[in-house]
Amino acid sequence: MYMLDRIALIVTIIGALNWGSIGLFSFDLVAWLGGGQAATISRIIYTVVGLCGIWCISLLFRERNEVISRD
């Protein structure tokens, strides 16, 4: 699960950066790379980012185990 969590978090961060570029510069990197917002590849990327965002919600509700180091 740890690797899937990291991948989902990275994809979500990249999606957030794309949203930031839309908000600040009116530039949608995914649409530019995928050939428009309605293009199949763009829709797949948007879907993957959305699913990763949903997965990252679960990170908020998981118990965390603290690592105690004994020096």
Side-chain angles (χ1 to χ4, degrees):
M1 284 278 203
Y2 177 72
M3 187 57 124
L4 184 59
D5 293 343
R6 289 184 65 97
I7 291 170
L9 189 57
I10 290 168
V11 171
T12 303
I13 291 169
I14 291 170
L17 292 173
N18 185 56
W19 274 108
S21 73
I22 293 169
L24 292 173
F25 309 114
S26 297
F27 180 70
D28 187 349
L29 182 64
V30 173
W32 181 73
L33 290 173
Q37 286 184 339
T40 303
I41 189 70
S42 295
R43 292 179 55 146
I44 291 170
I45 293 171
Y46 293 136
T47 303
V48 168
V49 171
L51 291 172
C52 288
I54 292 169
W55 181 267
C56 285
I57 292 171
S58 72
L59 298 176
L60 294 172
F61 301 103
R62 292 194 196 157
E63 290 186 28
R64 291 173 182 81
N65 296 328
E66 292 185 28
V67 177
I68 301 172
S69 70
R70 297 178 187 187
D71 294 328

